Amino acid sequence: MNKKKKYTIQDIAKELNTTASTVSRALQDNPRISEKMRKSVKELADRLDYHPDFRALSLKKGSGRTIGVMVPHIDRYFFSTVLRGIDEVATEMKYSVLICQSFESAEKEELLIKSLLSGKVDGMLASVAASTKHASHFELFGKRGIPLVFFDRAWMPMNVSKVVIDDYAGAVASVRHLVEAGCRTIAHLAGPQHINVYKNRTSGYLDTLKEYGLQMDESMIFQNTITRETGCKAMSEILAMDNLPDGIFSSGDYSALGAIICARENGIRVPQDIAITGFANEPFGSIIHPSLTSVDQHGAEMGRQAASLLIEEMESNIEYFIPRTIVLKPKLIIRDSSQRKPNH
Amino acid sequence: MNKKKKYTIQDIAKELNTTASTVSRALQDNPRISEKMRKSVKELADRLDYHPDFRALSLKKGSGRTIGVMVPHIDRYFFSTVLRGIDEVATEMKYSVLICQSFESAEKEELLIKSLLSGKVDGMLASVAASTKHASHFELFGKRGIPLVFFDRAWMPMNVSKVVIDDYAGAVASVRHLVEAGCRTIAHLAGPQHINVYKNRTSGYLDTLKEYGLQMDESMIFQNTITRETGCKAMSEILAMDNLPDGIFSSGDYSALGAIICARENGIRVPQDIAITGFANEPFGSIIHPSLTSVDQHGAEMGRQAASLLIEEMESNIEYFIPRTIVLKPKLIIRDSSQRKPNH
DNA sequence: TTTGATAATACAATCGATTGCACAAAAATA
DNA sequence: TATTTTTGTGCAATCGATTGTATTATCAAA
């Protein structure tokens, strides 16, 4: 009596002297089942707190209405807002969401994907890890017939749907803003260039310098600088330079933060001596001193769009769904770290 | 040829003119299979990129080696560190982790749990939502024979294992520190009292006041104040008081943040006019101005301990696993927001 | 009373794996 | 050569559901 048990459709059938098929149909309100039988089945099912086994059901049906989501980190504000957007749409459409984090590791990403492929998910949303150098594991989804939609950090060569923001435009807006704030020598903290979002931000930076006829200087570009630590290190190197830049465009908020803190520790004023802008609009940007100018990426909206696109593809019966790419417009949020003109 | 297909063990069997059982055994290195057969099966499996169907496998085996984790929010630093700790242990022990967030909603929590119960998880780790007022949905795990371990926000009346921190001790350390910094009237931003962690923090506050013979004043306790907004609101109310407190012990970092910002906006200096301490040691505490004194909860360690405890219970064959409660010691991190003596 | 239609339920195959048991062929022993 | 043992495979049941196709029972019409 004490042994815990999971009740099955067979248990209910046995108890009522009938068969599993009748019970199954009764629970589905199949009209071929008598009112009386339906009632007693439902009552017993309720009493036993019966719920169909997910594995058996999805095995039989060929789908478990589950969407997998792969993000580099769940605790990055941007990704957590994307996840919220995905959750909204998925819940509304009666899908479950299975969240995975790669911790920016390509190996972990590959392992997780292989585990998801064996029937755990029916569709996939992914943003690739920073250390990912090839996408063969993402190709597996196509081979298995599981729709895949990239968001934000997309693997561009792959012919699948993508939801991204216009990082190039965000970078252009940011650098223009710095120039208009009076900056003439603008350094750049760049992200890993094999990831589309970072490459586009760097392109926006370079093109905007050109647009204003400003000289591009290799030594002013710091590669692979997206963490607080590397941002701080870059700032130290900057401070050791002969000709100090008067502006920094960072591809991420964390590296911008590192730079600001390092500047403060070395008696350099932001924005008076150096104006700084970040990217991602992490919440800390509004509470640090000086508050950080950044680019908002509309995470929730991206999540909603990506989930909608994926579900549309999953539910379409079209043999070959034609991949679509949705580009969202980012928004420059101007705060103190870059405002040099107004008060000076 | 173009139709995407998922290969099964039957496909491999047919191709090699053998049966599914042989293929299954070959893939498992069963000694009853000849070297030759094993080799050709493995080769073909490799070529087709075959992986056993997770649903079929876990249905047959009765377990999918999956641990479910329910957290209120994945983007709270504390919870994300717990998740990392859980992931570490789970990965090492060859378990998968299924992350769910309740968004602090009891209904969402209940829905998610019901969906997890039907064979999606073999063990569960949970931290209850703020709005949860009864635990009947958590009781279901017991009825299904699925081990459950609470971490941090535990439902104390339930007789299951728990991993918590000594919130009482953390509060005591925090309030003592304020008193020693010279505070004589200490206000308190309290969390929802039906959640053990917040109740314990409030108890620690009250007892420490008593310990120092300080008067407890109902009007100095602000209930249900754990967000930045409510923290700010509480500070406004404080500033409107006749006798201003000279210290605030907040049950959370976000409300402490709201209070600090509100104080700054109103020309009140922290810590000179009012010393403030928070709880959770969110990363922003070290980058805001003034930096925030807080209590660290050892999230990763908690995650590791909870996962280990759960896995131990899952793998034990003991009929009735005797629940254990692990209590971790929190650590007071002293920063600027509470340091009144040293520099003044 | 016989036939035909209809309603309600049972039987059996299926989804993709695992595994105990039976069985054949080959090898070892008598 | 006859018998036993070993070795390698196939058959069939099982996990927990769903669903097409029997198969009854019931009742109305002829």
Side-chain angles (χ1 to χ4, degrees):
Chain A
M1 203 232 104
N2 263 323
K3 190 79 212 93
K4 283 96 166 211
K5 206 189 142 45
K6 219 194 113 194
Y7 292 101
T8 72
I9 218 169
Q10 333 280 344
D11 298 321
I12 298 183
K14 204 169 294 170
E15 184 73 22
L16 298 174
N17 282 315
T18 179
T19 60
S21 44
T22 301
V23 174
S24 171
R25 290 193 168 98
L27 291 171
Q28 292 175 79
D29 285 318
N30 187 308
R32 275 163 53 185
I33 300 299
S34 69
E35 196 54 50
K36 203 178 119 202
M37 181 57 106
R38 187 199 328 282
K39 202 164 150 268
S40 39
V41 165
K42 286 199 171 177
E43 263 178 29
L44 185 55
D46 231 62
R47 199 147 54 72
L48 299 184
D49 210 12
Y50 166 83
H51 285 280
D53 186 288
F54 173 77
R55 299 160 297 184
L57 210 135
S58 63
L59 177 58
K60 186 85 232 298
K61 293 238 167 154
S63 160
R65 292 191 82 79
T66 303
I67 294 174
V69 186
M70 173 78 71
V71 290
H73 287 292
I74 52 175
D75 56 340
R76 279 285 205 267
Y77 174 72
F78 168 66
F79 289 117
S80 71
T81 54
V82 174
L83 278 164
R84 192 169 301 213
I86 292 170
D87 198 88
E88 275 176 33
V89 174
T91 303
E92 193 195 321
M93 304 295 282
K94 307 248 181 286
Y95 281 85
S96 295
V97 177
L98 204 166
I99 303 169
C100 298
Q101 41 182 344
S102 63
F103 296 108
E104 301 284 17
S105 147
E107 299 96 76
K108 178 114 191 161
E109 186 178 75
E110 195 165 344
L111 274 172
L112 283 169
I113 285 180
K114 291 210 165 145
S115 127
L116 293 179
L117 276 168
S118 15
K120 282 190 182 173
V121 300
D122 309 296
M124 188 79 195
L125 294 169
S127 210
V128 312
S131 66
T132 297
K133 294 290 193 311
H134 66 271
S136 61
H137 45 300
F138 284 112
E139 305 277 6
L140 294 173
F141 288 106
K143 288 191 189 160
R144 289 285 195 299
I146 297 175
L148 167 67
V149 173
F150 282 117
F151 63 90
D152 195 52
R153 298 198 201 158
W155 194 267
M156 296 316 278
M158 269 185 76
N159 187 32
V160 298
S161 289
K162 304 170 183 97
V163 181
V164 295
I165 67 151
D166 192 339
D167 291 279
Y168 180 89
V172 168
S174 211
V175 178
R176 277 189 185 155
H177 165 70
L178 285 173
V179 174
E180 275 154 26
C183 299
R184 286 297 165 267
T185 315
I186 301 172
H188 174 45
L189 311 187
Q193 297 294 303
H194 63 282
I195 298 181
N196 60 311
V197 298
Y198 294 115
K199 197 175 70 194
N200 293 338
R201 292 173 198 175
T202 299
S203 302
Y205 159 77
L206 293 173
D207 287 359
T208 309
L209 289 192
K210 208 172 292 171
E211 176 189 338
Y212 283 96
L214 296 173
Q215 196 186 334
M216 191 274 268
D217 180 351
E218 277 290 356
S219 69
M220 285 289 174
I221 299 178
F222 296 81
Q223 294 297 341
N224 223 41
T225 303
I226 43 169
T227 64
R228 180 170 164 184
E229 289 68 36
T230 50
C232 183
K233 191 164 146 274
M235 183 52 113
S236 312
E237 290 175 30
I238 286 173
L239 295 180
M241 286 176 166
D242 291 335
N243 55 333
L244 233 63
D246 50 8
I248 299 179
F249 164 61
S250 172
S251 276
D253 278 352
Y254 283 92
S255 41
L257 171 66
I260 288 178
I261 289 175
C262 178
R264 181 162 63 210
E265 284 169 357
N266 286 278
I268 302 293
R269 296 168 306 162
V270 177
Q272 294 87 338
D273 300 327
I274 297 189
I276 298 182
T277 66
F279 214 110
N281 197 25
E282 291 277 346
F284 69 73
S286 65
I287 60 176
I288 59 171
H289 190 80
S291 60
L292 179 64
T293 293
S294 194
V295 178
D296 189 78
Q297 299 168 283
H298 308 300
E301 181 59 18
M302 182 177 287
R304 274 183 238 115
Q305 299 255 15
S308 303
L309 193 50
L310 177 68
I311 292 176
E312 190 187 331
E313 183 165 347
M314 288 168 74
E315 295 184 347
S316 85
N317 294 314
I318 306 161
E319 185 77 4
Y320 293 101
F321 190 88
I322 295 164
R324 258 181 283 161
T325 293
I326 296 176
V327 180
L328 302 177
K329 287 288 161 216
K331 185 166 193 288
L332 182 66
I333 311 287
I334 298 172
R335 299 204 184 89
D336 297 340
S337 69
S338 64
Q339 306 241 52
R340 306 216 303 174
K341 274 192 179 157
N343 311 317
H344 310 273
Chain B
M1 204 236 103
N2 263 323
K3 189 82 209 92
K4 283 97 166 210
K5 204 185 145 41
K6 218 194 114 192
Y7 292 101
T8 72
I9 216 167
Q10 334 280 343
D11 298 322
I12 298 183
K14 204 169 294 168
E15 185 71 25
L16 298 174
N17 283 314
T18 179
T19 59
S21 43
T22 299
V23 174
S24 171
R25 289 191 173 100
L27 291 171
Q28 291 173 80
D29 285 320
N30 187 310
R32 276 162 54 187
I33 300 299
S34 69
E35 197 54 49
K36 201 178 123 203
M37 181 57 105
R38 187 200 328 283
K39 200 162 152 270
S40 41
V41 165
K42 286 199 170 175
E43 261 178 32
L44 184 55
D46 230 63
R47 198 148 52 75
L48 300 184
D49 211 11
Y50 165 84
H51 285 281
D53 186 287
F54 173 77
R55 300 161 297 186
L57 210 135
S58 65
L59 177 59
K60 186 84 235 296
K61 293 240 168 154
S63 160
R65 292 190 83 80
T66 303
I67 294 175
V69 185
M70 173 78 72
V71 290
H73 287 293
I74 51 174
D75 56 340
R76 279 283 205 271
Y77 174 70
F78 168 66
F79 289 117
S80 71
T81 53
V82 174
L83 279 164
R84 191 169 300 213
I86 292 170
D87 198 270
E88 275 176 34
V89 174
T91 303
E92 193 194 321
M93 303 294 284
K94 305 246 181 290
Y95 280 85
S96 294
V97 177
L98 204 165
I99 304 169
C100 298
Q101 43 180 344
S102 63
F103 296 108
E104 301 285 14
S105 148
E107 299 96 76
K108 178 114 193 159
E109 185 177 76
E110 194 164 344
L111 275 172
L112 282 169
I113 285 180
K114 291 208 166 146
S115 127
L116 293 180
L117 276 168
S118 8
K120 281 191 184 175
V121 299
D122 309 295
M124 188 78 194
L125 294 170
S127 210
V128 312
S131 67
T132 298
K133 294 290 194 311
H134 66 269
S136 61
H137 46 299
F138 284 112
E139 305 277 4
L140 293 173
F141 287 105
K143 288 189 188 160
R144 289 285 195 299
I146 297 175
L148 167 67
V149 172
F150 282 118
F151 62 91
D152 194 51
R153 297 199 200 157
W155 195 267
M156 294 316 276
M158 270 184 74
N159 188 33
V160 298
S161 289
K162 303 169 182 99
V163 181
V164 296
I165 66 150
D166 191 340
D167 290 278
Y168 180 89
V172 168
S174 210
V175 178
R176 276 187 188 157
H177 165 69
L178 285 172
V179 174
E180 276 154 25
C183 301
R184 286 298 166 266
T185 315
I186 300 172
H188 174 45
L189 311 187
Q193 296 295 303
H194 63 282
I195 297 180
N196 60 312
V197 298
Y198 294 115
K199 198 174 71 193
N200 293 339
R201 293 174 197 175
T202 299
S203 302
Y205 160 77
L206 293 173
D207 287 359
T208 310
L209 290 191
K210 208 172 293 170
E211 175 188 337
Y212 283 97
L214 297 174
Q215 197 184 333
M216 191 274 271
D217 182 350
E218 277 290 355
S219 69
M220 285 291 175
I221 299 178
F222 296 81
Q223 293 298 339
N224 224 41
T225 304
I226 43 169
T227 63
R228 178 169 165 183
E229 289 69 35
T230 50
C232 183
K233 191 164 148 274
M235 184 53 117
S236 313
E237 290 173 30
I238 286 174
L239 295 179
M241 286 177 166
D242 292 335
N243 55 333
L244 232 63
D246 50 8
I248 299 179
F249 164 60
S250 172
S251 276
D253 278 352
Y254 283 92
S255 41
L257 171 66
I260 287 178
I261 289 174
C262 178
R264 180 163 62 209
E265 283 169 358
N266 286 277
I268 302 292
R269 296 167 306 164
V270 177
Q272 293 87 337
D273 300 327
I274 298 189
I276 298 181
T277 66
F279 213 110
N281 197 24
E282 291 278 346
F284 68 74
S286 64
I287 60 176
I288 60 172
H289 191 79
S291 59
L292 179 64
T293 293
S294 193
V295 178
D296 189 78
Q297 299 168 283
H298 308 301
E301 181 58 19
M302 182 178 286
R304 273 181 240 118
Q305 298 256 11
S308 303
L309 194 49
L310 177 68
I311 292 175
E312 190 187 332
E313 183 165 347
M314 289 168 75
E315 295 185 347
S316 85
N317 294 314
I318 305 161
E319 185 77 4
Y320 294 102
F321 190 86
I322 296 165
R324 258 180 284 161
T325 294
I326 295 175
V327 180
L328 302 178
K329 288 290 162 213
K331 186 165 192 289
L332 181 66
I333 310 287
I334 298 172
R335 297 203 185 89
D336 297 341
S337 69
S338 64
Q339 305 241 53
R340 307 216 301 175
K341 276 191 180 161
N343 311 320
H344 308 276

